[in-house]
Amino acid sequence: MQLTNFVVGQWCAGAGTGQALRDPVLGTELARASSEGIDLAAALRYSREIGGPALRALSYAERAQLLTRIADVLTANRPAYVKIALENSGSPESDAAVDIDGSIYTLKFYARAAASLGAARYLQEGDAQSLSKDGAFQTSHLLLPLRGAAIFINAFNFPAWGLWEKAAPALLSGMPVLVKPATSTALLTWQMVQDVINAKVLPEGALSLICGSARDLVEHVSFDDVVAFTGSAATAARLRGTPAIVQHSTRLNVEADSLNLALLGPDATAGSDEFDLFVREVVREMTVKAGQKCTAIRRALVPAALQASVAEAIAARLAKVTVGNPRNAEVRMGPLVSKAQQQSVLDGLAQLRSQAQLVTPDPAQFRPIDADPAIAAFVPPALLQVADAHAASLVHEVEVFGPVATLMSYADEQDAFALARLGLGSLVASVFSADDAFTQRAVLELAGSHGRVLAVHSAVGKLQTGHGNAMPMCLHGGPGRAGGGEELGGLRALSLYHRRFAVQAGAERIAGLRAQAASVTY
Ligand code: NAP
């Protein structure tokens, strides 16, 4: 099977044999992807010249209806997507749901959120302000949709959500989308784009797809395009230096590596509600999607007196997690997405083990359920711990993108906050404490180096939405090594796809422009 590209309004096969997409349990080839020979400059021109004007002719409310129709198409085809996620990503249905249902939920959220923007085609922020003593000359800030293309270069771990969490605010803003999924898991993205295109729910040129290498794609960007990248810090650094991006000051939003933190408060005691909630969350984050989530907990920080009991409690829970072929109904955790990722995680684990000790059994002894370890891409959950969190520099530097976390302890509150900052910027921190005053101090401290802070105590233990779940209402992105990007956060996401400008004019003219704009409130 060949994954075709959808560009210039047509499905086109790339040249050559392309790259193979495989089942990470059985090792079988599922499809091949190639973008060779595709004219990527022409693909971008088509998006800008055909898709952009068609979308911008619609109001926000009309574009919101497009999102609802996409969500309906995805809902109708859900069973086929679950099967693809099983075959191409090795996902048990619960993991597939995070990606697929997360996409549908996010699209519907943005469709609803846009209701307040109504029939407008541009936005206004804040009130008009006077520039003259009598108020007859004023200024106002308006936001116009960008006239270029929204180019998404995505990571392998969310082939569905990675597209739709970006596409929802981009399409709503009136920008056409060109998506390049990570090749190893591109089958689900390809199928979804095919279904949406076949359903004819979008205007011509509003959605394009490149399967296989990005090749020279970013060399053709212009000042009105947006590049939204999710992936490794190394690729992000390469993209930042792309001459066309530098020359045109093209917007580049980066979501990259992250050493997310969970902090157990100093008030916790073994067996307290917050202790148990912390242990459960660490185990959940290590095992959901086999730890292949950019938001997964990588560093678990606890009071020194509790390190042994937390290690014991996490290890006991992990021992009950069944790992193997997700076609077996008993299995809770599947493989990594490819042999390459398995090797990358084993290499990262070996690096961490030069400074940290394994708490869980040695992965070398592990045998997956119903799978051949020589062919399949499994890594069992691995909890490490360090005696001195300041001396173990690697646990604050190396992101192992799999079911791996390191437990470490702090001496006092200030020590905990200092250790949190050693991650040099991450997506999420969570704090588990029954102490209100400590929690408030922790939230404000952790926010200095994390894009989102989750505070959990027993009263919200069952309500909280999870450390690793990127809710569309909440900002997704983090400073420093996490890339410095911002996605989601409700209607805040629209600002990436709009350009803010100031208009200075007579009061009546300002009022006339503002009368046609939707006020954006966050
Ligand atoms: P990657 O190697 O950087 O690949 C990411 C994407 O970039 C893929 O689509 C890849 O295409 C493409 N790419 C690679 N080289 C490129 C180049 N020179 N020009 C343009 N595109 C290029 O990252 P990965 O290893 O797949 O993903 C894992 C990383 O993603 C982890 O570090 C994780 O933290 C991060 N991540 C972050 C988030 C977040 O929201 N912050 C979410 C998920 C993952 P090919 O697949 O064709 O090589």
Side-chain angles (χ1 to χ4, degrees), residues 472-498:
M473 306 78 178
C474 306
L475 182 84
H476 176 63
R481 67 180 303 141
E486 288 196 357
E487 291 180 344
L488 302 176
L491 292 177
R492 287 173 189 83
L494 270 57
S495 54
L496 181 62
Y497 305 104
H498 285 74

Side-chain angles (χ1 to χ4, degrees), residues 11 42 104 117 144 217 283 348 350 359 372 458 466 487 500:
W11 290 99
I104 296 167
L117 306 178
L144 271 187
L217 179 65
V283 171
V359 177
D372 178 350
S458 61
E487 291 180 344
R500 179 183 293 106

Side-chain angles (χ1 to χ4, degrees), residues 103-258:
S103 307
I104 296 167
Y105 180 78
T106 303
L107 283 158
K108 287 186 175 173
F109 166 81
Y110 274 101
R112 269 197 315 276
S116 64
L117 306 178
R121 288 178 178 75
Y122 60 94
L123 305 172
Q124 61 182 339
E125 259 184 2
D127 296 329
Q129 285 180 303
S130 177
L131 296 175
S132 64
K133 277 191 184 154
D134 61 359
F137 188 64
Q138 296 185 348
T139 186
S140 180
H141 286 83
L142 305 176
L143 292 99
L144 271 187
L146 294 183
R147 296 186 187 183
I151 302 159
F152 305 155
I153 300 176
N154 282 341
F156 62 80
N157 58 337
F158 279 106
W161 180 82
L163 163 58
W164 299 114
E165 63 100 13
K166 291 181 170 90
L171 293 171
L172 193 51
S173 300
M175 282 196 83
V177 165
L178 185 150
V179 61
K180 194 224 97 57
T183 304
S184 57
T185 58
L187 191 50
L188 183 53
T189 315
W190 179 81
Q191 187 62 57
M192 287 179 154
V193 171
Q194 247 207 5
D195 292 339
V196 169
I197 296 297
N198 287 345
K200 299 191 189 317
V201 296
L202 287 176
E204 179 82 28
L207 181 60
S208 305
L209 169 73
I210 304 290
C211 291
S213 167
R215 290 182 36 241
D216 56 344
L217 179 65
V218 286
E219 289 166 26
H220 305 293
V221 298
S222 185
F223 77 100
D224 252 345
D225 296 330
V226 173
V227 178
F229 170 77
T230 301
S232 64
T235 308
R238 209 169 304 139
L239 290 178
R240 285 187 209 279
T242 307
I245 289 182
V246 174
Q247 182 191 345
H248 298 295
S249 304
T250 307
R251 272 189 203 170
L252 171 63
N253 193 76
V254 172
E255 303 285 350
D257 299 9
S258 188

